[in-house]
Amino acid sequence: MKLVTFQNNEGAEKIGVLSASGKTVIPVEEAGLDFNSMQELICRGSQEDFRALSKVAGEKEGCPLEDVRMLAPIPSPAQDIICLGINYMDHAEESARFKKEEFNGERPYAVYFSKRVAKAVADGEPIDGHFDIVDSLDYEAELAVIIGKEASRVSPEEAAEYVFGYTVINDVSARNIQMRHKQWYFGKSLDGFTPMGPWIVTRDEINWPPKLRIWSRVNGELRQESNTSLLIFDIPFVISELSQGMTLLPGTIISMGTPAGVGMGFEPPKFLSSGDIVECGVENIGVLTNPVK
Ligand code: MG
């Protein structure tokens, strides 16, 4: 199922499911459910609720997609997003080159950091480049995993049970701010730096562990192209490692890192400018397209 958050004609925030045709959105009320947000559905939705949603998605049509305003599937995450840094080998190399650091090809431990998201940017909405303080705006196409139930001391073998679904995130980054402050937090967390969506694809629709093509384009030019099978630390490992001593709550978003081909990886770098169109895609999940403002 593809689960969406949208605004109806009256401006109210609603959640729904995409019909089997992929052309219309069916509000959850049509399945007899009463959830006001994706977070609520993730936390409190029962197996029976999801069966009801799946049934209406297969049988009905709803509001045409062009008539609703899509929002990011989790517009205001309850907690900061947990991000993986340099989690594809080819990106580890380009990133070390840009920072003029040594890289010996070894990645013994995962790099974890977080990203603040006051309000995630929907598919189609502009990314604010904050060009008054940013001189090196960059894109990072990423597969994001959404945790479905409280995870504590989970083994890699059990990790799948804790996954609610997946979405696409563009981990927009201001390289000048990211490097300047040593910690990446500020440079990754400016308002509008988290395009997310267009929807959440539920876990049952994707083979485990996900081996999916991932790519990005800027103004139509292919910049990143890889596969999530090349993650250095994969989803089962990450859920297991983080949950040893740190409880992951339902609705937790983990963004799995980006492959090579980001702007800073080119010589000279290809940073984003106002008017650029950035597309980030993951096979079987969706494509997130945002202009730079
Ligand atoms: Mg990233």
Side-chain angles (χ1 to χ4, degrees):
M1 270 186 296
K2 292 189 171 76
L3 301 172
V4 299
T5 301
F6 66 100
Q7 218 169 36
N8 68 7
N9 291 336
E10 286 83 50
E13 189 176 311
K14 293 278 182 189
I15 54 170
V17 61
L18 222 59
S19 65
S21 72
K23 291 181 178 157
T24 65
V25 175
I26 306 163
V28 293
E29 288 80 0
E30 295 282 322
L33 306 180
D34 182 24
F35 295 104
N36 292 312
S37 68
M38 193 66 78
Q39 181 68 28
E40 216 181 289
L41 178 66
I42 293 168
C43 291
R44 296 215 286 276
S46 65
Q47 296 283 10
E48 200 181 324
D49 295 337
F50 289 108
R51 271 196 295 273
L53 271 179
S54 176
K55 189 160 185 287
V56 293
E59 292 173 355
K60 290 190 179 183
E61 290 292 348
C63 322
L65 272 179
E66 52 273 21
D67 292 350
V68 297
R69 181 174 168 225
M70 295 280 279
L71 303 177
I74 304 180
S76 298
Q79 295 180 297
D80 287 354
I81 293 178
I82 298 172
C83 298
L84 273 286
I86 42 182
N87 198 24
Y88 290 81
M89 204 51 89
D90 55 357
H91 177 61
E93 282 157 7
E94 72 175 356
S95 166
R97 197 169 59 234
F98 181 76
K99 296 174 195 161
K100 300 190 169 52
E101 289 171 0
E102 288 286 313
F103 179 63
N104 62 5
E106 283 177 25
R107 297 277 305 110
Y109 297 104
V111 173
Y112 298 114
F113 65 97
S114 63
K115 184 171 174 84
R116 170 60 56 96
V117 189
K119 193 169 183 298
V121 172
D123 179 39
E125 274 187 348
I127 297 166
D128 183 347
H130 297 272
F131 293 113
D132 52 337
I133 55 169
V134 175
D135 67 6
S136 40
L137 186 72
D138 214 342
Y139 51 88
E140 298 189 349
E142 306 200 359
L143 169 67
V145 185
I146 295 129
I147 297 294
K149 62 175 182 177
E150 193 169 302
S152 177
R153 303 201 178 278
V154 169
S155 70
E157 293 71 32
E158 299 165 323
E161 293 167 41
Y162 293 82
V163 172
F164 178 81
Y166 308 92
T167 191
V168 182
I169 279 181
N170 181 352
D171 177 18
V172 177
S173 306
R175 301 297 182 200
N176 59 321
I177 298 177
Q178 179 186 346
M179 308 300 171
R180 184 174 76 196
H181 294 278
K182 200 163 167 112
Q183 299 284 326
W184 301 354
Y185 192 63
F186 182 31
K188 297 258 185 185
S189 299
L190 300 188
D191 290 344
F193 271 22
T194 308
M196 180 201 297
W199 35 64
I200 292 172
V201 176
T202 50
R203 181 191 70 197
D204 55 292
E205 294 211 352
I206 305 288
N207 287 335
W208 179 263
K211 292 181 177 161
L212 306 169
R213 200 167 77 81
I214 179 166
W215 70 94
S216 70
R217 289 176 189 276
V218 177
N219 302 326
E221 181 194 10
L222 188 64
R223 294 282 181 88
Q224 297 181 278
E225 190 176 28
S226 187
N227 194 288
T228 61
S229 62
L230 298 174
L231 287 168
I232 300 171
F233 299 100
D234 66 6
I235 295 170
F237 176 89
V238 165
I239 291 176
S240 176
E241 178 163 87
L242 286 176
S243 71
Q244 308 303 315
M246 181 171 121
T247 302
L248 303 174
L249 298 177
T252 295
I253 303 169
I254 305 174
S255 202
M256 293 301 298
T258 203
V262 300
M264 73 172 171
F266 292 88
E267 290 179 40
K270 295 184 177 183
F271 293 124
L272 297 170
S273 312
S274 181
D276 286 345
I277 307 286
V278 189
E279 288 169 57
C280 296
V282 179
E283 180 187 5
N284 296 341
I285 301 197
V287 181
L288 184 59
T289 306
N290 303 92
V292 178
K293 186 164 76 176

